[in-house]
Amino acid sequence: MKSLRLIAALAASLLCTQPVAAADNYPSKPVRIIVPYQAGQGTDVAARYLSDYLARELGQPFIVENRPGAGGNIGASEAARAAPDGYTVLMGTNGTHVLNQFIYASTNFDPAKDFEPIMLVSSFPMVLVTTPASPYKSLADLRDPKKAKPDSVNVGMPSTTARLVFELLKQQGVASIRGIPYKGSATATTDLMGGQVQIGIDTVSAARSFITGDKLRALAVTSLKESALLPGVPPVSAQGLPDFQVIAWNGMYAPKGTPPAVVQKLNAALVKILKQPDVQKRLLELGHEPGGGTPAELDAFARSERLKWEPLILKAGLKAD
């Protein structure tokens, strides 16, 4: 009996040490980063940039795979169902992990229960853009019934956050705009520059190169104050809608059940990478305020965001088509 108890204890001990041993060798093969949006969108830009640094830091390729659709739900759902071994991670957003559960009838995942938070990667405001030839020079033009009749201005919305900005603008009296949903930034921007829509709402990171390249003109940012990411562009709050603020963010997540040691290893790598001055400088150039912190801090932040936005979304009656 004594020998049987010894064998059982030894077996249990071996099982307990397996995740730690796996984490010691992690990663031993390529890691995929699921981006639940089109290539070229703000989340994709950040993920591709950081993937190179993660590969250098951890010694294995980090491969970005785009899984766009349903406001990010398709990619997030795939990540939630992946094996919890650290070889699939998700670049989640405030869309996938806060807003979508209140807007979509079903997301096929629970953002609070189906993921292990790793780290808040970046944050950024949204921006309203139009073409250089557009007659709309400011948000005031969109609010002026003499310049824009109700529901006469088509607005491209390539994400859940863009949809939220649109609905809040509409709720606060911008009657001229009519929302047109898109699967991603690339198609929305193409249609904006082609004249199919007159206004776009997108992340600063997705729109910044078009703005600095004079292909698009920024009308307003959704940060409470002017953003260092787009100097000189007035916030919505300074254009007749005080206290208007919508900030988007990216956070890295792993499937629920991923070993804590693996989560901590990924977090430590990202913390080290985001402290590098050249990385911070480049992320700002790409339209991202660098993030940081612990897995627990990302979890607490996302929970607070859900408490903030749920009543506002329900009051506005936002529903995905």
Side-chain angles (χ1 to χ4, degrees), residues 134-299:
S134 169
Y136 308 112
K137 309 297 183 186
S138 67
L139 186 61
D141 289 340
L142 294 175
R143 299 176 65 211
D144 186 347
K146 295 179 181 179
K147 296 184 178 181
K149 297 179 181 179
D151 296 317
S152 65
V153 182
N154 290 333
V155 177
M157 307 180 301
S159 67
T160 306
T161 310
R163 172 74 180 271
L164 177 63
V165 172
F166 168 84
E167 294 290 354
L168 291 177
L169 288 171
K170 196 84 170 176
Q171 187 181 25
Q172 295 188 35
V174 186
S176 63
I177 54 178
R178 182 174 64 151
I180 309 295
Y182 283 86
K183 289 185 177 180
S185 296
T187 46
T189 301
T190 297
D191 278 5
L192 175 58
M193 292 194 292
Q196 281 82 6
V197 296
Q198 291 76 52
I199 300 291
I201 301 174
D202 214 331
T203 62
V204 169
S205 51
R208 195 171 187 271
S209 63
F210 296 99
I211 296 169
T212 57
D214 295 327
K215 293 182 179 180
L216 293 176
R217 176 158 43 83
L219 300 179
V221 290
T222 63
S223 48
L224 195 58
K225 298 180 180 179
E226 184 178 309
S227 172
L229 299 174
L230 281 176
V233 178
V236 172
S237 62
Q239 299 188 61
L241 299 177
D243 301 323
F244 190 102
Q245 182 183 34
V246 178
I247 299 296
W249 51 267
N250 290 328
M252 186 170 283
Y253 289 85
K256 189 68 176 181
T258 300
V262 169
V263 170
Q264 289 297 336
K265 197 166 190 176
L266 287 166
N267 175 271
L270 284 168
V271 168
K272 182 178 179 180
I273 290 165
L274 289 179
K275 283 183 177 178
Q276 298 177 31
D278 60 324
V279 172
Q280 293 181 359
K281 180 175 181 290
R282 183 56 181 155
L283 281 175
L284 288 169
E285 291 171 349
L286 293 172
H288 291 260
E289 291 275 0
T294 66
E297 287 171 337
L298 172 56
D299 184 53

Side-chain angles (χ1 to χ4, degrees), residues 4 7 29 66 70-71 107 109 124 151 158 171-172 227 233 261 292 304:
L4 286 175
I7 292 170
K29 61 181 180 179
N66 297 91
T107 59
F109 64 90
F124 40 89
D151 296 317
Q171 187 181 25
Q172 295 188 35
S227 172
V233 178
S304 71

Side-chain angles (χ1 to χ4, degrees), residues 95-145:
T96 61
H97 279 72
V98 175
L99 307 177
N100 287 0
Q101 65 178 311
F102 308 124
I103 294 176
Y104 286 81
S106 174
T107 59
N108 292 321
F109 64 90
D110 186 320
K113 296 179 179 179
D114 292 344
F115 295 92
E116 302 288 356
I118 296 173
M119 199 182 81
L120 179 68
V121 173
S122 66
S123 61
F124 40 89
M126 305 294 283
V127 60
L128 277 70
V129 291
T130 189
T131 58
S134 169
Y136 308 112
K137 309 297 183 186
S138 67
L139 186 61
D141 289 340
L142 294 175
R143 299 176 65 211
D144 186 347

